[in-house]
Amino acid sequence: MNCAKRRIATKALAGVWLATSFGLAWAAQVAGTIVNLSGPLMVKKADGSVKVLGLKSEVEQGDTLVSEKNTYAQIRFIDNSEITLQPGTTFKVEAFAYEAAKPDADSASFSLIKGGLRSLTGLLGKRNKEKFSLKTPSATIGIRGTTFTAQYVPTSKVGMTAPGAPSAVRTPAGLPPGLYVSVIDGAISMSNTGGSMNFSAGQFGYTASPLKPPVMMPVNPGLKFTPPPAFSTLLAPGAQNASVPGKAAAVDCEVR
């Protein structure tokens, strides 16, 4: 083999090695694991492929999870934080990175496209609260070290919700469209183009759209979050305990 051909062959092998290394590096970016599951859970991967997840399945950056009609799914992330999806939820892990020795590289960015979830803060949220964000079509949620539920109800132009309403909307949760939050422990912020508001333990919040400022709701507007009994009341190691005396009535069931 002459020098020119040898150089071409070497470059080709190097290209294959780099592509393989990049693929392995991407595949190794595991964000968390499914630790509880009550039904079918689908995932759309960053490369567009779709598959069914089961217990102990890994969740990676770029994954979009879709819980079916009767499915609750609990993800434990590598920092011991947890997110539990309720049925009929579409949720994306935009970015997640955590290393104990590299706090500057922390990243936790999620999107709640529709449906609801419960979030329990882990080690990342305790040391870098500003690095956590949960985006929805109506507003972005930030944390102060907390446990909270969020439900986004999209507009669905189907039928009528009240007699005489000419163009009313019907929503899957029986609630007006928008983003709802309930804080179990700690505090969160809700921000959009209309404004920003903080909510503390025991409080409920709502915003109808990105242009409407968040508002406080005096009572629970009808939010329900009831995972099956198999979802233990134990919390992840290192996670903030949501079972604070006097606050137990604020939730239907704690999750592990």
Side-chain angles (χ1 to χ4, degrees):
M1 182 182 293
N2 60 35
C3 292
K5 289 182 178 179
R6 187 178 294 112
R7 282 196 297 271
I8 293 173
T10 300
K11 289 180 179 179
L13 288 172
V16 170
W17 182 84
L18 287 172
T20 302
S21 298
F22 178 81
L24 290 173
W26 173 257
Q29 293 177 348
V30 175
T33 305
I34 306 297
V35 295
N36 258 318
L37 191 61
S38 67
L41 178 67
M42 307 294 294
V43 60
K44 182 177 181 181
K45 309 296 289 184
D47 62 6
S49 62
V50 178
K51 66 178 183 178
V52 179
L53 296 181
L55 280 175
K56 300 183 180 180
S57 291
E58 293 179 339
V59 175
E60 299 176 341
Q61 286 193 97
D63 282 359
T64 299
L65 305 178
V66 181
S67 60
E68 298 297 328
K69 183 179 179 180
N70 297 312
T71 300
Y72 280 88
Q74 187 175 37
I75 308 106
R76 178 171 297 159
F77 291 87
I78 56 178
D79 72 327
N80 280 331
S81 61
E82 292 179 355
I83 287 180
T84 303
L85 309 181
Q86 70 180 33
T89 295
T90 302
F91 169 80
K92 183 175 182 179
V93 181
E94 300 282 0
F96 195 93
Y98 174 82
E99 288 188 46
K102 297 180 179 179
D104 290 343
D106 284 355
S107 175
S109 177
F110 308 104
S111 288
L112 177 61
I113 299 166
K114 71 171 183 177
L117 58 78
R118 175 177 290 162
S119 175
L120 188 152
T121 296
L123 299 174
L124 183 153
K126 288 183 176 181
R127 73 181 187 184
N128 273 321
K129 300 176 180 64
E130 70 283 357
K131 297 290 185 74
F132 175 101
S133 68
L134 175 63
K135 303 171 186 175
T136 78
S138 290
T140 297
I141 297 172
I143 63 169
R144 303 291 180 267
T146 189
T147 304
F148 70 94
T149 64
Q151 182 162 346
Y152 175 70
V153 182
T155 299
S156 177
K157 295 181 180 179
V158 180
M160 299 168 61
T161 56
S167 59
V169 296
R170 178 184 300 156
T171 62
L175 297 168
L179 173 64
Y180 298 82
V181 296
S182 168
V183 183
I184 300 164
D185 191 32
I188 66 172
S189 64
M190 188 192 297
S191 304
N192 60 15
T193 303
S196 180
M197 193 170 195
N198 294 330
F199 300 90
S200 300
Q203 295 181 332
F204 303 91
Y206 170 70
T207 181
S209 75
L211 302 178
K212 299 289 186 180
V215 297
M216 191 84 67
M217 306 192 80
V219 296
N220 187 340
L223 300 178
K224 297 180 180 179
F225 200 94
T226 54
F231 283 58
S232 172
T233 58
L234 296 178
L235 301 176
Q240 187 170 352
N241 192 335
S243 301
V244 179
K247 298 178 182 177
V251 296
D252 297 299
C253 176
E254 284 304 320
V255 295
R256 180 182 63 185

